Amino acid sequence: MQTVVITGVSTGIGHAAAKVMIARGYKVFGSVRKESDAQRVQAELGENFTPLIFDVVDPQGISAAADSVREALGGTTLAGLVNNAGIAVSGPLLEVPESEYRKQLEVNLVGPFLVTQAFAPLLGADQQLTGPPGRIVNISSVAGLRAMPFLGPYAASKFGLEGYSEALRRELIMFGIDVIVVGPGPVKTAIWDKAEEVDIEQYGDSPYRPILERFQKVFIGQGRDGYPADRLGELICTALTTPKPKVRYAAVKGRMMEKLMMSVASPRMLDKAIAKMLGLNKPS
């Protein structure tokens, strides 16, 4: 039975990917941060799921998890690593607290770096292991290619992940380990219920305050009508298993005219359209 490691499986994309991979006959080790989540997800996913309790910014916890997976593999290679765990920090870049900006980059950019360093030997960088080399799937976002206002911290982390993934893919050619990016748009998960609870009153004295309220409604609405998590789980499975994967898969739900505009419009045209939609135009 082949084995994959997926970070952030307590809910959403990671949970959906774990469910799909188990249905395809894989054993899944999945990271969670709480013992209660470990017990719940194991009960939901069954005997072919093993929880790993660590935070993706904790090198010691990651190292211990990698050691336990190595022991379970018994000298064979890991088939796949999915760097999924992440957070989204929102707010105007001129006013977002430094601590929140640093946290965004730590979780979404440093986290995959630490996890990959720990698990890459099991994917085949350790050539003493037997079996074919595995693959790495990094979960980016449409925000890794195009940045929206008030999601600057998140976009910075995902743009960074795209560049990291490209360099990593080329470096790992010598080991036969492939690196694939999956870049979804808004995904229909419980995260949007949490987003509705984000307190924008911290920007109460900001000139952005009324625009932020409008943006939050648009953003949450798009998310609740977003790409189904189960379908994204299937796409991650494809990236891990298809014989000749693409280097990047997009998963964006939307009307064809909107997609066409985003792909062909110049950056300045998009600036104007987004400013008009949110009310960001400079007062005359």
Side-chain angles (χ1 to χ4, degrees), residues 26-147:
Y26 283 74
K27 180 173 179 57
V28 174
F29 284 85
S31 84
V32 296
R33 291 185 299 155
K34 300 176 183 177
E35 177 65 37
S36 58
D37 286 334
Q39 294 176 6
R40 172 181 56 81
V41 178
Q42 182 150 40
E44 291 170 354
L45 298 183
E47 62 182 11
N48 285 332
F49 174 79
T50 299
L52 300 170
I53 302 177
F54 67 83
D55 193 307
V56 296
V57 297
D58 173 21
Q60 288 73 34
I62 296 167
S63 178
D67 287 344
S68 67
V69 174
R70 178 183 283 271
E71 183 177 353
L73 290 171
T76 61
T77 53
L78 182 66
L81 168 65
V82 181
N83 284 308
N84 163 72
I87 61 172
V89 172
S90 61
L93 285 166
L94 296 184
E95 301 176 32
V96 168
E98 176 190 346
S99 60
E100 288 298 297
Y101 192 82
R102 288 184 181 276
K103 182 179 179 181
Q104 176 72 91
L105 298 182
E106 282 283 324
V107 174
N108 287 18
L109 194 51
V110 178
F113 165 80
L114 294 173
V115 172
T116 299
Q117 282 198 338
F119 284 95
L122 303 183
L123 292 163
D126 179 351
Q127 296 178 302
Q128 294 182 346
L129 301 179
T130 60
R135 294 179 184 175
I136 298 169
V137 174
N138 288 334
I139 306 303
S140 181
S141 168
V142 66
L145 300 179
R146 183 173 64 247

Side-chain angles (χ1 to χ4, degrees), residues 192 216-226:
W192 304 108
Q216 189 177 48
K217 290 177 181 177
V218 170
F219 186 57
I220 292 170
Q222 288 178 344
R224 286 180 170 156
D225 189 39

Side-chain angles (χ1 to χ4, degrees), residues 244-280:
K244 294 182 179 180
K246 301 176 182 179
V247 297
R248 191 181 196 279
Y249 291 86
V252 181
K253 181 181 177 183
R255 291 175 292 185
M256 186 57 66
M257 187 57 67
E258 291 174 346
K259 292 181 179 180
L260 184 64
M261 178 183 174
M262 288 296 187
S263 63
V264 303
S266 72
R268 294 296 188 190
M269 288 176 64
L270 288 176
D271 287 351
K272 291 178 181 178
I274 291 167
K276 182 177 181 180
M277 178 178 69
L278 295 176
L280 279 165

Side-chain angles (χ1 to χ4, degrees), residues 104-257:
Q104 176 72 91
L105 298 182
E106 282 283 324
V107 174
N108 287 18
L109 194 51
V110 178
F113 165 80
L114 294 173
V115 172
T116 299
Q117 282 198 338
F119 284 95
L122 303 183
L123 292 163
D126 179 351
Q127 296 178 302
Q128 294 182 346
L129 301 179
T130 60
R135 294 179 184 175
I136 298 169
V137 174
N138 288 334
I139 306 303
S140 181
S141 168
V142 66
L145 300 179
R146 183 173 64 247
M148 290 292 288
F150 310 123
L151 286 176
Y154 182 70
S157 72
K158 293 302 186 180
F159 267 72
L161 186 66
E162 298 271 348
Y164 166 79
S165 299
E166 186 165 289
L168 184 67
R169 186 180 73 247
R170 291 167 179 164
E171 290 180 11
L172 295 184
I173 288 173
M174 67 181 293
F175 299 113
I177 301 169
D178 202 0
V179 180
I180 300 118
V181 169
V182 173
V187 179
K188 193 183 298 184
T189 68
I191 193 173
W192 304 108
D193 295 327
K194 297 177 184 178
E196 195 168 41
E197 298 169 2
V198 172
D199 181 19
I200 60 174
E201 291 305 323
Q202 63 181 306
Y203 303 111
D205 296 328
S206 169
Y208 290 113
R209 173 63 178 79
I211 305 168
L212 279 168
E213 188 171 325
R214 190 177 306 120
F215 174 77
Q216 189 177 48
K217 290 177 181 177
V218 170
F219 186 57
I220 292 170
Q222 288 178 344
R224 286 180 170 156
D225 189 39
Y227 201 85
D230 288 345
R231 282 182 59 195
L232 191 55
E234 295 282 354
L235 184 58
I236 292 168
C237 178
T238 296
L240 285 168
T241 62
T242 192
K244 294 182 179 180
K246 301 176 182 179
V247 297
R248 191 181 196 279
Y249 291 86
V252 181
K253 181 181 177 183
R255 291 175 292 185
M256 186 57 66
M257 187 57 67

